[in-house]
Amino acid sequence: MQSYTIGQAARLLGVSPDTARRWADAGRVTTHRDENGRRLIDGRDLAAFSVEVGQGAAGEGEEAYTSARNAFPGIVTAVKLGDVAAQVEIQAGPHRLVSLLTREAVEELGLEVGMRATARVKSTSVHIDLT
C-alpha cells in the first residue's frame, strides 16, 4: 500500500502542511515513521480521512481547495467494480468526485483505494489520470 508524507497528504487534502501536521499531532489521522524518520500516512487511512475532511469535519473557516484547468488532484476513496462498468470516487480537498467508467479502464490503471489520482472534468465527463 502506498504511503504519503505530511506534505503530500496536505496537497491531496487541499490544506497547508502545517494544518496536516496539526491534524496528525492531534491524532485525527494515524502516522508512522519510515527508515529516515519521516512521518507517513497509509493510503487507506488518508483516503478515509479525506472523506471526513470533505464532508466538512475539518472545521469552519479553513481555506477550500480550488483547481486550475478543471484538474482535481486527490486520493481514490472507493472503487466499485461491476461486470462491465465501474465507479471510482476521488476526494480532492473538499470535493468528492465520482466517475463512471469501464471495468477494463479501472483494471488497466490499477486503481485502488489510497492511490493518488487526478480527476479531470470536461463538460459532464470526468477523466482520471494517475499522478
Side-chain angles (χ1 to χ4, degrees):
M1 174 50 56
Q2 186 167 359
S3 292
Y4 299 91
T5 65
I6 295 288
Q8 291 170 325
R11 281 189 297 281
L12 292 170
L13 293 167
V15 299
S16 72
D18 286 337
T19 297
R21 199 171 293 110
R22 281 193 302 274
W23 287 343
D25 290 344
R28 293 195 54 200
V29 63
T30 303
T31 63
H32 63 278
R33 298 228 181 235
D34 68 5
E35 61 278 354
N36 297 319
R38 294 181 308 168
R39 287 200 302 182
L40 300 175
I41 302 170
D42 178 73
R44 288 191 182 275
D45 292 339
L46 184 58
F49 183 66
S50 70
V51 170
E52 177 186 328
V53 170
Q55 293 173 342
E60 296 298 319
E62 295 189 15
E63 187 174 322
Y65 175 83
T66 59
S67 71
R69 295 184 173 187
N70 301 325
F72 294 83
I75 187 166
V76 176
T77 58
V79 176
K80 298 173 186 161
L81 297 174
D83 291 337
V84 176
Q87 177 178 313
V88 176
E89 294 182 25
I90 294 177
Q91 191 71 39
H95 309 290
R96 177 180 166 261
L97 297 119
V98 178
S99 179
L100 301 176
L101 56 163
T102 65
R103 178 186 181 116
E104 181 181 10
V106 170
E107 290 171 347
E108 283 180 9
L109 290 171
L111 291 173
E112 60 183 46
V113 172
M115 291 181 69
R116 283 186 294 179
T118 299
R120 296 195 189 277
V121 180
K122 181 178 180 188
S123 185
T124 59
S125 66
V126 176
H127 302 268
I128 297 176
D129 300 332
L130 296 180
T131 54

